[in-house]
Amino acid sequence: MKSRLSLAAIALAASLLLSGCGYNDFQSLDEKSKSAWSEVLNQYQRRADLIPNLVNTVKGFAAQEQAVLVGVTEARARATQVQVNADDPESLRQFQAAQGEVSSALSRLMVVVERYPELKSDQNFRDLQAQLEGTENRITVARNRYIQAVQDFNVTVRRCP
């Protein structure tokens, strides 16, 4: 009788130990993926914050390109209004569409810049362009870190304890 009771106690203790196995890993990896997503959002916001300065600099040189400037400003406004939730596929789709519009509008703005050589030589514009390029690189790095964090989380969730 004692051996059955001690065997049952050992089995109970083992099952309790195994039930918590990996829980802390799940929590820390989940937080890591949320933090990585926040960094992605921060970099997109940084890009959105640079756009008004870039548009104002171009405005002085290319007043007749008003449609492009308005398009960039409107795309930025739409992108900053989208509320994204990393767990909601629809909000992610809307967010990516808005960010795609911003990228497209910025591409059109850069075409305008090519038409005005004196603008390309302006120090303010060159500084803003360098900041924008750096921000695009930061967005890429932040997105890659987010993808890696989510991948680590998913592997841990699927792994047998």
Side-chain angles (χ1 to χ4, degrees):
M1 186 67 155
K2 274 189 170 183
S3 107
R4 282 188 182 176
L5 187 58
S6 48
L7 186 59
I10 290 172
L12 179 63
S15 67
L16 287 175
L17 286 174
L18 287 176
S19 68
C21 184
Y23 177 80
N24 290 337
D25 290 340
F26 295 150
Q27 300 309 310
S28 65
L29 290 172
D30 183 43
E31 289 303 314
K32 183 179 175 184
S33 66
K34 288 177 182 175
S35 173
W37 180 248
S38 294
E39 182 60 25
V40 170
L41 294 177
N42 285 340
Q43 295 309 323
Y44 278 126
Q45 185 61 49
R46 183 176 194 275
R47 177 175 72 172
D49 292 344
L50 285 173
I51 290 172
N53 296 332
L54 190 63
V55 167
N56 287 334
T57 302
V58 174
K59 252 185 206 177
F61 285 91
Q64 63 271 32
E65 304 291 350
Q66 193 66 26
V68 173
L69 298 173
V70 168
V72 171
T73 304
E74 288 175 353
R76 176 197 177 267
R78 283 191 297 275
T80 56
Q81 289 174 354
V82 173
Q83 296 298 318
V84 65
N85 178 357
D87 298 328
D88 179 20
E90 180 59 26
S91 73
L92 277 174
R93 187 193 61 71
Q94 290 174 351
F95 180 75
Q96 283 305 113
Q99 293 303 326
E101 287 180 31
V102 170
S103 295
S104 176
L106 285 173
S107 295
R108 289 190 302 277
L109 182 64
M110 291 305 135
V111 169
V112 168
V113 168
E114 292 298 320
R115 294 186 201 148
Y116 297 92
E118 66 276 4
L119 174 59
K120 289 189 289 188
S121 66
D122 181 68
Q123 185 62 41
N124 288 338
F125 177 77
R126 286 194 319 230
D127 291 345
L128 288 168
Q129 190 174 23
Q131 287 182 32
L132 189 60
E133 289 169 0
T135 300
E136 293 294 334
N137 291 336
R138 289 177 182 186
I139 289 170
T140 301
V141 168
R143 288 179 63 161
N144 287 336
R145 287 181 182 157
Y146 173 69
I147 290 167
Q148 185 62 48
V150 170
Q151 183 180 15
D152 291 346
F153 177 76
N154 288 339
V155 166
T156 302
V157 167
R158 290 183 182 93
R159 187 174 35 212
C160 183

